[in-house]
Amino acid sequence: EVQLAESGGGLVQPGGSLRLSCVGSGFSISRSWMHWVRQVPGKGLTWVARVLSDGTTTNYADSVKGRFTISRDNAKNTVYLQMNTLRADDTAVYYCAREDIVLVPGSFAVWGQGTMATVSS
Amino acid sequence: DIQMTQSPSSLSASIGATVTITCQASQDIGKYLSWYQQKPGSAPKLLIHGASNLEAGVPSRFSGSGSGTNFTFTISSLQPEDFATYYCQQYENLYTFGQGTQLEIK
């Protein structure tokens, strides 16, 4: 079964850092574009970042540019989101998602269960 | 940036009814649009991609249409398990979600 599993969320003070991880199982992430999408509890979905198959091409939402870094380790079948200089409005559930650029380009057909990041003093 | 305006923000309907949600893009996105369903406490689920292509395993009562800037999503013959929140998402230029439509039982 194709699955994604996030970890690394928690409570952090404003200005602090968190590193989220997302491990894939049942498939190799190496040929997929991988994303992070977040959702403030009770609110809508917001795309955060993506990393392409080559591992060096990345894109970010304006709200996190310069503070967040997405990366991947294909050998570990894992994607990361390093979040620095965190603010209260970064508080959200963070989902990892897979974009299969061959079968369903542009869409997120596989999602993890989400990990909650709370930024508060 | 491409903005997605989804309406209505909420609606109520009865079992067996047909409902339609609309999504408008701030610029031409061709058919680069997907629709998702999300239930409380769960991750979103992809229903439709390419504006009108049903994802594998999704019931045929779900359908989508449109191109350019105007899109519609329809659920025919509502079932109890369809009551959820629905989102559109463009992928013509990076990715943007609509604000969501909460579908409730009347």
Side-chain angles (χ1 to χ4, degrees):
Chain A
E1 184 181 4
V2 173
Q3 290 184 325
L4 293 168
E6 303 95 336
S7 60
L11 175 64
V12 62
Q13 292 187 338
S17 299
L18 275 177
R19 188 198 198 199
L20 307 183
S21 300
C22 168
V23 181
S25 58
F27 75 104
S28 172
I29 71 165
S30 62
R31 296 184 180 183
S32 300
W33 293 4
M34 299 301 295
H35 301 258
W36 289 94
V37 176
R38 69 185 181 184
Q39 184 171 38
V40 174
K43 303 297 184 182
L45 300 165
T46 303
W47 174 80
V48 173
R50 77 174 176 187
V51 58
L52 305 194
S53 307
D54 61 12
T56 58
T57 305
T58 57
N59 300 93
Y60 298 91
D62 287 343
S63 59
V64 307
K65 204 171 292 184
R67 300 188 299 123
F68 289 13
T69 302
I70 187 171
S71 61
R72 62 195 295 157
D73 184 336
N74 289 340
K76 294 183 178 180
N77 224 35
T78 301
V79 181
Y80 303 98
L81 186 67
Q82 177 67 45
M83 306 190 295
N84 297 331
T85 319
L86 282 161
R87 311 184 304 220
D89 62 358
D90 293 317
T91 295
V93 174
Y94 285 76
Y95 292 103
C96 173
R98 174 196 184 193
E99 178 182 348
D100 185 327
I101 59 172
V102 174
L103 295 179
V104 196
S107 303
F108 308 139
V110 181
W111 296 69
Q113 84 285 355
T115 187
M116 182 73 198
T118 303
V119 185
S120 175
S121 54
Chain B
D1 293 6
I2 299 175
Q3 308 302 319
M4 304 301 294
T5 303
Q6 192 175 332
S7 62
S9 56
S10 65
L11 75 156
S12 60
S14 303
I15 301 295
T18 294
V19 297
T20 297
I21 299 168
T22 66
C23 194
Q24 184 171 47
S26 59
Q27 63 189 72
D28 190 338
I29 60 170
K31 290 195 166 190
Y32 295 132
L33 185 101
S34 296
W35 291 94
Y36 298 83
Q37 175 192 69
Q38 187 179 31
K39 296 181 178 179
S42 296
K45 174 185 176 183
L46 176 64
L47 301 178
I48 288 173
H49 55 90
S52 59
N53 300 306
L54 207 60
E55 174 69 346
V58 174
S60 59
R61 64 180 181 273
F62 296 95
S63 63
S65 65
S67 66
T69 61
N70 292 296
F71 301 85
T72 60
F73 172 77
T74 300
I75 312 173
S76 303
S77 186
L78 274 170
Q79 300 300 300
E81 62 267 28
D82 299 338
F83 293 93
T85 301
Y86 293 87
Y87 295 93
C88 62
Q89 173 236 327
Q90 69 81 21
Y91 50 95
E92 197 282 333
N93 181 9
L94 293 180
Y95 313 84
T96 313
F97 291 91
Q99 64 266 49
T101 296
Q102 187 171 7
L103 175 58
E104 299 173 328
I105 300 176
K106 182 181 286 186

